[in-house]
């Protein structure tokens, strides 16, 4: 028998998601399709509505906020006038260009940080080799395929 506030999974119908606290909005009907799509990240049947709400509250700050320049296209402008269609297209192109510039910057920062980490890795390996050569440390195999691949990727030959 399910406890109070617990959601049971049924394959035949969608069950409203209820939590013990009263809500100002209607209950969310959580369909089996939605549960299946959420499954790689969270098992709603296991954690219940309170856990789902907690999970949503924890991931929302991680999503990128919209900026003042973002223009949400909320309707089809193809039936509008020529000026409206051109303005909509111009806004979409500007948003695309800013998104692309942001992604390129993030990728360059990621590459720079990984290059620094690869240098630190090589420095640590050199320190360990020095300690082993002087006899202050017993011999250890430092070969690692993943670290070598990262060094080749981020450091010049």
């Amino acid at each position: 028998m399910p406890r109070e506030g617990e959601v049971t999974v049924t394959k035949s119908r969608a069950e409203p998601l209820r939590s013990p606290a009263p809500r100002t909005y209607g209950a969310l009907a959580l369909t089996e399709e939605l549960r299946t799509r959420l499954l790689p990240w969270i098992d709603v049947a296991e954690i219940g509505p309170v856990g789902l709400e907690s999970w949503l509250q924890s991931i929302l700050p991680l999503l990128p906020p919209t900026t003042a320049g973002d223009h949400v296209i909320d309707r089809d402008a193809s039936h509008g006038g020529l000026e409206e269609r051109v303005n909509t297209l111009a806004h979409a192109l500007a948003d695309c260009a800013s998104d692309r510039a942001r992604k390129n910057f993030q990728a360059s920062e990621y590459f720079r940080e990984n290059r620094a980490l690869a240098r630190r890795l090589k420095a640590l390996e050199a320190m360990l080799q020095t300690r082993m050569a002087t006899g202050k440390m017993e011999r250890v195999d430092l070969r690692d395929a993943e670290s070598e691949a990262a060094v080749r990727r981020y450091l010049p030959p």
Side-chain angles (χ1 to χ4, degrees):
M1 172 153 207
R3 289 182 232 143
E4 181 178 282
E6 195 172 36
V7 176
T8 58
V9 179
T10 60
K11 302 242 182 220
S12 61
R13 63 180 177 88
E15 193 172 301
L17 185 62
R18 291 187 276 283
S19 66
R23 299 281 179 214
T24 56
Y25 299 104
L28 172 67
L30 201 56
T31 63
E32 188 62 33
E33 178 188 358
L34 182 58
R35 289 174 200 241
T36 304
R37 292 184 72 184
L38 284 172
L39 200 54
W41 298 281
I42 189 167
D43 186 1
V44 179
E46 184 177 327
I47 63 160
V50 176
L52 176 63
E53 183 177 348
S54 173
W55 179 73
L56 287 171
Q57 293 292 341
S58 67
I59 65 166
L60 286 177
L62 302 176
L63 297 176
T66 58
T67 61
D70 288 345
H71 298 280
V72 177
I73 301 172
D74 60 351
R75 66 182 188 89
D76 184 13
S78 64
H79 300 296
L82 179 62
E83 187 174 330
E84 181 184 4
R85 291 191 328 223
V86 169
N87 283 339
T88 302
L89 180 60
H91 286 298
L93 287 172
D95 288 344
C96 180
S98 68
D99 287 347
R100 185 175 181 151
R102 187 177 313 116
K103 298 291 186 233
N104 285 341
F105 175 74
Q106 289 172 341
S108 68
E109 287 294 304
Y110 177 78
F111 185 82
R112 187 181 59 79
E113 290 172 3
N114 283 346
R115 179 175 278 178
L117 289 173
R119 286 185 180 135
R120 288 180 185 155
L121 176 68
K122 291 310 279 182
L124 287 172
E125 285 178 355
M127 288 172 40
L128 289 174
Q129 288 173 350
T130 303
R131 289 186 64 100
M132 287 186 291
T134 58
K136 296 190 177 196
M137 184 177 163
E138 63 185 57
R139 290 270 175 214
V140 178
D141 185 20
L142 297 177
R143 289 178 296 170
D144 182 24
E146 291 178 11
S147 65
E148 290 301 319
V151 168
R152 281 192 308 272
R153 189 176 320 127
Y154 293 110
L155 294 181

